[in-house]
Amino acid sequence: MTNELKGKVNYSVNGNIAILEVDNPPVNPLSSGVRAGLSEYIAKANNDESIEGIILTGAGRSFIAGADISEFGQKPDGPDLHTALKEIEFSKKPVLAAINGTALGGGLETALVCNYRMGTNKAIVGLPEVNLGLLPGAGGTQRLPRLIGPSQALKMMIAGTPMSAKKALQQGVIDAISENSLIDDAIAFLHEKIGLNLIEHPKVRDKNEKVLEARGDDNVLSEAKALAAKTRRGQFAPGQIIACVEAAINEDDFDVGMKKESEYFLECLVNPQREAMIHIFFGERAASKISDIPKETPLLPINSAGIVGSGTMGGGIAMNFANAGIPVLVLDQDEKNLERGMGVIEKNYQMMVDRGRMTQEQKDMVLGLITPTLSYEDLSDVDIAVEAVYENLELKQEIFKSLDAVTKDHAILASNTSGLDIDAIASSTKRPGKVVGTHFFSPANVMRLLEVVRGKDSSDETMATVMSIGKRMGKAAVVSLNAPGFIGNRMLAGYTYQANMLLLEGALPNQVDSALESFGMSMGPFRMMDLVGLDLGWRARKLANIETPLANKISDALCEQDRFGQKTSKGFYNYSEGSRAPNPAPENEAIYKEISSQNNIERREISDQEIIDRCILALVNEGARILEEGVAQRSGDMDIVYINGYGFPIWRGGPMFYANQLGLSEVINKMSAFSKLDENFWKPAPLLQKLADNSGAFGEAPAPEERAQLLSFNKANMGGV
Ligand code: 3H9
């Protein structure tokens, strides 16, 4: 085999069984060398008369993690996957897939061309291609429906979520679970099958019963379409998956279905959504690395945690620790609050049980890891404490002082602040190196985004450890330097500013929201403001005796009429009792008109395109500043923030990727057209201008010596954004 090919397959023999072990660390994707190895060794086993059966397995923790994602969009080397899989499927000797870990995408598709499938009880199987803007293109759309029925297969492929070995056995994806040594059990299983002297060992492609049953049943496809519309709005791949399964159901010839699958796969491959979603796959993994912190930085052991504050955030954060298997104490100084907080946690878990997302046994297990306490002393042994109280610097400093006094020296002290100065918080302790920001997003047990805020003294060990906790929790963790608003909320400020200005200039909340939702945002800005509560800013301004800025004049006027948003059933929209569905509020229109005219703004027709451009490019321009200051390490980090924390459509790859796709000179052109409305706001960030002038694109933050000065905290922005 040539050396340039990536990955390999190891070949060994145990009696009359050949064992092919895919070896392409860390997760065994089907790279060129693996495909070549599979072809070579299937032929070798078939040509060896002493061999009567073949086992296909993976080295390390994965079986096969799918096609090699880094090859998409490149010219692949080596044999193509379809050829290698055909050779397995038509092997003269029976082949058993011994699934030792994750069998995802092309990995499961490889297992589906084998005659038999056995997993360990830790095996995970799934077809997650949809998350990459793709469809299972190595026969998955044709074989899985034959194995488990089109309806279940569609659910699995549209959700893209993997399933456990136990569930895979129940559904018939695998034939057996090995409780002991996988290879020994696999050999015994094959010996039994060989002993049966079958004329032919079963092939999934021949199992037509379940697809024939679905022929003529329109519900199967219409239910899948409804599911895709609900959960994957705006995405291209789900429709393609459904079309493939339609072929699996209706085409008599398996190979015709396979041909259709290839055509539809190719259409996904060249669709811009695929590039955007693969950018996010690699972007999430890149975000978890901190450029100037060595990979080998030792991690501090985290075996217990403490949370200060049992409100919505504190409770959600506690659930994250418990879900990751880390025992956690929840501290509140008010007994009633604590009781209420524990009640909310219990209710949240119960809801998961009711929706079938968790068993009662799992609920009891995680709930058993969460212990309420009223005393700081109880936190003396924790490895990490996370403060989650309301945004008040003095209060947080007090809490950190207490935590510093009570916890062991090695403990990390983290603040869930959404905007306060981490260095100011760290200064109240004797261990600033162990202080860090962990900005979870609400609801913390649901939202994947975690901004990890790096103070000027946060040590490498602290940062690396907190990033690894994020991974244990299944979060998308992104590092931000300690600057006002960090990454997400700082970008959001310009976005909501533009939405508010559009309202003053003549658009209505419903038009702004609809335009941005059709762009793909999960929720328009006015629905979002109603959800968060319009009264927060209004109260803060009143308290600080600050005059209402122009952009906030309408929302403050609504607050004066007790229209605080969802909490009072009226804000920019009206809400019926107990419902979150927004209804237009025509009674507000007089207020909009009055405030526009008071401020000499002539209301006009505004196009949906202008709404989208102004709101999204506001994100981009602030993103460019964040990048040039080095607050974010790379532009992809901001894409991860926006997709996981702010409902930006994944299929557009995040705001910075979107700007790169648009072309930065086009971004500048659009911005300069808006500068007649607001010259100051639309001044391009110097980095954006520089990149546009040089036909460049957003990427890594500039080297430290070339960075713009970091936006610093001052009294005006101490309250968070
Ligand atoms: C497909 O199969 C298409 C076919 O249907 C049709 C073909 C014709 N390729 O996530 P981790 C890298 S599409 C290349 O941190 P974990 C990853 O970038 C594929 N590289 O580990 C990272 O690199 P680095 C369908 C891959 O333990 C390193 O491996 N399959 C691939 O947390 C470790 O990854 C999928 O969508 C790959 N396929 O999680 C599965 N996978 O160290 C994608 C990973 O440089 N993979 N890498 O940052 C996963 O979901 C997770 O990686 C997995 C392990 C659960 C397997």
Side-chain angles (χ1 to χ4, degrees):
M1 211 168 299
T2 54
N3 283 336
E4 304 91 64
L5 299 186
K6 195 173 147 211
K8 61 181 167 61
V9 175
N10 304 318
Y11 186 86
S12 62
V13 172
N14 186 320
N16 60 347
I17 304 291
I19 301 173
L20 275 61
E21 183 191 58
V22 176
D23 187 357
N24 189 16
V27 295
N28 299 333
L30 292 156
S31 316
S32 50
V34 173
R35 299 192 298 270
L38 288 174
S39 274
E40 179 179 340
Y41 292 129
I42 283 288
K44 182 172 165 144
N46 274 311
N47 291 334
D48 183 341
E49 283 189 358
S50 68
I51 297 296
E52 290 184 89
I54 302 168
I55 288 175
L56 176 57
T57 191
R61 60 190 158 103
S62 228
F63 171 69
I64 297 171
D68 185 336
I69 298 170
S70 61
E71 283 183 359
F72 293 131
Q74 319 274 341
K75 196 182 166 302
D77 292 323
D80 78 272
L81 183 58
H82 283 95
T83 308
L85 296 194
K86 210 162 203 175
E87 285 159 2
I88 300 175
E89 190 167 44
F90 289 97
S91 158
K92 286 186 289 184
K93 324 272 169 82
V95 186
L96 178 145
I99 305 174
N100 54 304
T102 36
L104 298 177
L108 177 58
E109 291 173 298
T110 304
L112 293 179
V113 296
C114 297
N115 304 100
Y116 307 105
R117 285 157 295 284
M118 173 185 280
T120 62
N121 48 24
K122 291 224 168 70
I124 303 271
V125 305
L127 293 176
E129 285 88 341
V130 70
N131 297 323
L132 304 171
L134 287 170
L135 57 84
T141 66
Q142 304 304 300
R143 291 193 183 87
L144 195 64
R146 284 178 161 75
L147 201 55
I148 65 172
S151 190
Q152 283 306 325
L154 278 163
K155 276 187 198 139
M156 202 166 149
M157 291 188 280
I158 291 169
T161 32
M163 62 170 68
S164 65
K166 197 169 147 204
K167 196 154 179 213
L169 181 68
Q170 276 166 6
Q171 296 225 342
V173 182
I174 60 174
D175 305 299
I177 291 185
S178 157
E179 299 292 347
N180 307 301
S181 153
L182 175 63
I183 296 300
D184 288 351
D185 287 350
I187 291 173
F189 187 102
L190 263 186
H191 278 161
E192 202 183 308
K193 296 292 176 193
I194 293 164
L196 294 176
N197 279 326
L198 300 175
I199 304 169
E200 205 175 339
H201 291 271
K203 284 189 182 52
V204 177
R205 59 151 56 216
D206 298 330
K207 295 180 193 269
N208 288 324
E209 223 170 86
K210 292 200 164 93
V211 285
L212 289 176
E213 260 171 39
R215 211 175 262 189
D217 179 356
D218 294 341
N219 283 341
V220 173
L221 297 177
S222 55
E223 275 168 16
K225 283 177 193 158
L227 178 68
K230 186 164 166 227
T231 58
R232 296 208 170 258
R233 188 165 59 91
Q235 296 187 23
F236 180 69
Q240 302 285 99
I241 292 174
I242 296 168
C244 288
V245 175
E246 190 173 1
I249 295 172
N250 292 327
E251 295 295 345
D252 288 324
D253 184 345
F254 178 84
D255 289 320
V256 172
M258 285 295 284
K259 199 161 160 276
K260 289 207 165 158
E261 181 193 85
S262 290
E263 281 166 21
Y264 298 145
F265 181 80
L266 204 65
E267 285 172 15
C268 289
L269 203 62
V270 296
N271 189 290
Q273 293 194 3
R274 189 269 308 160
E275 200 185 334
M277 290 167 90
I278 287 186
H279 159 73
I280 291 305
F281 177 84
F282 285 119
E284 195 172 316
R285 279 144 187 91
S288 68
K289 297 172 181 109
I290 310 176
S291 359
D292 60 336
I293 295 187
K295 225 165 81 194
E296 13 341 293
T297 303
L299 302 181
L300 302 161
I302 301 291
N303 297 315
S304 61
I307 311 293
V308 181
S310 65
T312 317
M313 282 313 284
I317 298 169
M319 289 174 75
N320 284 321
F321 277 103
N323 296 346
I326 303 170
V328 56
L329 287 147
V330 180
L331 170 85
D332 204 301
Q333 289 185 315
D334 181 304
E335 199 169 351
K336 279 228 161 72
N337 279 348
L338 190 58
E339 218 170 274
R340 198 177 326 122
M342 288 302 291
V344 172
I345 292 175
E346 201 272 338
K347 235 169 63 198
N348 285 340
Y349 279 131
Q350 189 53 47
M351 216 147 67
M352 290 169 76
V353 174
D354 296 344
R355 292 182 181 168
R357 297 206 188 126
M358 182 177 247
T359 62
Q360 182 63 39
E361 203 184 352
Q362 285 166 327
K363 176 192 157 188
D364 295 343
M365 211 262 291
V366 282
L367 208 51
L369 291 172
I370 306 176
T371 312
T373 175
L374 291 164
S375 150
Y376 268 98
E377 292 304 315
D378 286 347
L379 301 191
S380 61
D381 269 336
V382 299
D383 297 319
I384 181 168
V386 184
E387 159 278 308
V389 301
Y390 64 90
E391 294 290 79
N392 178 300
L393 183 63
E394 288 76 31
L395 174 65
K396 288 187 194 259
Q397 285 176 323
E398 269 309 297
I399 291 171
F400 271 69
K401 211 181 258 178
S402 307
L403 288 171
D404 197 28
V406 79
T407 55
K408 299 238 165 75
D409 289 348
H410 74 262
I412 292 176
L413 306 183
S415 171
N416 182 49
T417 178
S418 59
L420 295 177
D421 180 357
I422 288 295
D423 294 333
I425 296 174
S427 70
S428 64
T429 73
K430 293 194 201 70
R431 61 177 98 183
K434 291 266 172 7
V435 175
V436 63
T438 48
H439 180 205
F440 289 85
F441 284 68
S442 187
N445 51 312
V446 177
M447 297 292 283
R448 283 197 72 229
L449 179 61
L450 172 62
E451 277 183 334
V452 178
V453 186
R454 186 177 190 177
K456 71 177 165 41
D457 296 315
S458 307
S459 74
D460 287 3
E461 271 181 350
T462 302
M463 291 304 295
T465 304
V466 171
M467 293 304 281
S468 83
I469 299 173
K471 178 148 191 176
R472 273 168 86 181
M473 290 176 172
K475 297 285 175 198
V478 173
V479 177
S480 167
L481 285 191
N482 182 37
F486 311 138
I487 296 174
N489 282 343
R490 178 166 162 192
M491 287 166 79
L492 187 70
Y495 172 86
T496 43
Y497 172 82
Q498 282 304 320
N500 282 321
M501 291 307 294
L502 285 157
L503 183 57
L504 276 167
E505 290 168 36
L508 291 177
N510 193 38
Q511 189 201 353
V512 175
D513 287 349
S514 304
L516 286 158
E517 284 165 17
S518 63
F519 173 83
M521 298 299 290
S522 60
M523 189 186 276
F526 291 103
R527 282 179 61 202
M528 187 183 71
M529 289 185 249
D530 265 0
L531 178 68
V532 173
L534 309 183
D535 55 322
L536 299 181
W538 172 68
R539 270 184 226 287
R541 282 185 280 279
K542 279 199 158 194
L543 214 67
N545 213 2
I546 296 173
E547 198 192 324
T548 304
L550 177 61
N552 300 99
K553 283 200 190 289
I554 290 181
S555 63
D556 279 11
L558 295 180
C559 288
E560 296 294 345
Q561 301 197 355
D562 292 337
R563 301 188 71 102
F564 295 168
Q566 277 192 23
K567 62 177 89 164
T568 53
S569 298
K570 49 192 190 185
F572 287 110
Y573 295 96
N574 292 331
Y575 301 86
S576 12
E577 189 73 19
S579 162
R580 291 179 166 209
N583 302 307
E587 66 269 38
N588 284 350
E589 286 176 30
I591 304 179
Y592 306 154
K593 283 184 188 145
E594 190 187 327
I595 295 183
S596 299
S597 107
Q598 276 168 5
N599 292 281
N600 301 321
I601 298 173
E602 201 175 317
R603 295 180 69 83
R604 63 183 168 94
E605 281 274 318
I606 297 179
S607 73
D608 287 358
Q609 192 58 49
E610 179 177 340
I611 292 171
I612 293 168
D613 285 342
R614 281 174 59 180
C615 291
I616 302 299
L617 298 186
L619 292 176
V620 172
N621 200 29
E622 196 58 35
R625 291 204 182 89
I626 287 174
L627 191 62
E628 73 191 359
E629 291 167 15
V631 170
Q633 303 183 86
R634 44 187 95 77
S635 62
D637 290 10
M638 288 179 270
D639 292 331
I640 301 301
V641 165
Y642 257 73
I643 282 165
N644 291 290
Y646 295 86
F648 199 95
I650 184 170
W651 50 271
R652 289 199 191 267
M656 307 310 278
F657 181 85
Y658 172 75
N660 281 343
Q661 295 300 85
L662 209 59
L664 298 189
S665 48
E666 179 62 9
V667 170
I668 294 276
N669 288 344
K670 284 180 182 262
M671 283 172 53
S672 62
F674 298 139
S675 66
K676 62 178 185 301
L677 296 170
D678 188 340
E679 201 182 343
N680 209 23
F681 185 93
W682 290 111
K683 214 175 267 163
L687 178 68
L688 168 58
Q689 186 70 62
K690 189 170 134 193
L691 288 170
D693 291 345
N694 296 299
S695 314
F698 293 124
E700 298 290 313
E705 57 281 9
E706 289 164 25
R707 283 181 192 163
Q709 205 183 344
L710 197 66
L711 184 62
S712 67
F713 284 87
N714 59 42
K715 268 265 179 287
N717 52 39
M718 288 296 273
V721 176

